[in-house]
Amino acid sequence: MFKFFLKKNFCDGWDNFFFLVLSNVVTILLLVASYFAFRFADGINPYLPAIVFILCSGILMTSLFAWGANAAKLADFCSGSYGLFFSSLKAVWKIGFSFGALIAVALLLARFAVAYYLMLYFRDGNVVGLLVAAALGWFLLVAVIALQWFIPLYFLQGNNNFSKCFKKSFIIFYDNVFFSIGVFLYNIILLVLSCVFFMLIPGLNGILLSSTNALRLRLYKYDWIEKMSETDPDFETNRDKRNEVPWDELLAEDMESLGPRKLLSFLFPWR
């Protein structure tokens, strides 16, 4: 299943190359504006950068949230549009800004908390400080990995609000730990590539497309579990049966839609 996800995500990114690049221009402009706003605030007041960081995180996440509608379209073999981005912007700015601001506040608190407990360890030799700092670090890492599903959940399951997206993100993580870690590491690779290409491709929007693609395919598992539970009431609680997911069968339609993409088809799409 993971191998097919990698193939499909690459194909979706390649087929929408210019759309992704132009979409990432908006994200780049927001990142540049955030950087200068942060530098300007730092010269005025030592506490102001934290407020600017929270505000800029909210604005940037609002943009990513709005683009999540296009990510869901592309993952479903449809075409994206800039009109969809702007129409989604009106609908999701509240949840997008709240999510971004929450992440920024959590990162700031974690930074000061970890620094404080590490100081206790290095200054006083307090081992408890080191253990608490390590625990906070691991908790933050788990939260980051789990919350990669937040935006995709909002657009792939239309009945999710902020609290449901937050809760389901952790449910999916704990139910698919290795898959979540695998997608997270893949997204880290995409982030490194993005830095090489000045965030133009795949960029933050391309990384969001990756998470959306991964979750869309993974949700087939839960549709299958729900279907099997109708005939076997104990199926949902039987972990051995739940783990025997017939991925070839569940992905058959997507495999057919994607087709046998070969190298020449990427270089010469008209052939």
Side-chain angles (χ1 to χ4, degrees):
M1 181 263 173
F2 198 84
K3 182 179 179 181
F4 176 71
F5 152 66
L6 294 177
K7 178 182 177 181
K8 183 180 184 303
N9 192 65
F10 177 80
C11 292
D12 288 345
W14 183 266
D15 293 342
N16 299 277
F17 183 88
F18 293 107
F19 180 65
L20 269 176
V21 169
L22 292 176
S23 298
N24 280 323
V25 170
V26 176
T27 308
I28 293 171
L29 291 175
L30 289 175
L31 287 172
V32 172
S34 299
Y35 171 76
F36 284 109
F38 189 82
R39 289 288 301 272
F40 179 74
D42 191 40
I44 297 177
N45 187 290
Y47 299 103
L48 191 57
I51 298 174
V52 171
F53 177 64
I54 294 171
L55 291 175
C56 290
S57 297
I59 294 171
L60 179 62
M61 192 58 68
T62 301
S63 174
L64 286 175
F65 234 99
W67 202 84
N70 275 314
K73 285 281 188 182
L74 298 181
D76 198 28
F77 300 100
C78 298
S79 299
S81 69
Y82 298 108
L84 179 60
F85 169 80
F86 289 109
S87 62
S88 298
L89 204 57
K90 298 178 182 178
V92 304
W93 72 269
K94 288 183 180 179
I95 186 172
F97 187 89
S98 300
F99 183 54
L102 176 66
I103 290 177
V105 170
L107 289 175
L108 288 172
L109 291 176
R111 173 181 174 274
F112 289 118
V114 170
Y116 171 76
Y117 285 112
L118 285 177
M119 180 191 67
L120 291 181
Y121 172 71
F122 288 110
R123 187 188 64 186
D124 305 326
N126 190 334
V127 180
V128 175
L130 180 62
L131 294 176
V132 173
L136 286 172
W138 279 108
F139 175 77
L140 185 64
L141 179 61
V142 168
V144 170
I145 297 174
L147 291 176
Q148 70 183 324
W149 307 127
F150 191 97
I151 299 178
L153 275 169
Y154 183 85
F155 288 100
L156 294 175
Q157 294 183 330
N159 60 339
N160 290 330
N161 54 23
F162 188 98
S163 60
K164 284 185 177 180
C165 287
F166 191 86
K167 179 181 178 181
K168 287 184 177 182
S169 293
F170 284 91
I171 291 174
I172 290 174
F173 168 75
Y174 286 114
D175 195 39
N176 306 272
V177 174
F178 292 110
F179 178 74
S180 297
I181 293 174
V183 174
F184 178 73
L185 293 176
Y186 173 68
N187 286 340
I188 292 294
I189 295 173
L190 293 184
L191 181 60
V192 173
L193 287 174
S194 299
C195 293
V196 173
F197 294 106
F198 306 101
M199 300 304 290
L200 284 171
I201 195 73
L204 295 182
N205 291 328
I207 294 172
L208 177 56
L209 174 61
S210 167
S211 296
T212 304
N213 253 322
L215 183 62
R216 178 183 173 277
L217 297 176
R218 203 63 177 183
L219 287 177
Y220 287 150
K221 167 185 172 181
Y222 297 97
D223 295 335
W224 170 73
I225 291 174
E226 184 178 352
K227 182 179 178 181
M228 296 301 292
S229 298
E230 294 176 358
T231 56
D232 183 1
D234 298 327
F235 184 86
E236 191 168 354
T237 57
N238 191 319
R239 198 159 190 84
D240 292 333
K241 291 183 178 180
R242 278 169 52 102
N243 290 334
E244 298 175 359
V245 184
W247 284 114
D248 289 340
E249 177 184 335
L250 298 180
L251 299 176
E253 186 175 342
D254 283 79
M255 289 179 176
E256 183 179 353
S257 298
L258 187 63
R261 304 292 293 270
K262 297 182 180 180
L263 180 60
L264 286 177
S265 69
F266 294 111
L267 298 177
F268 308 103
W270 57 86
R271 293 185 58 177

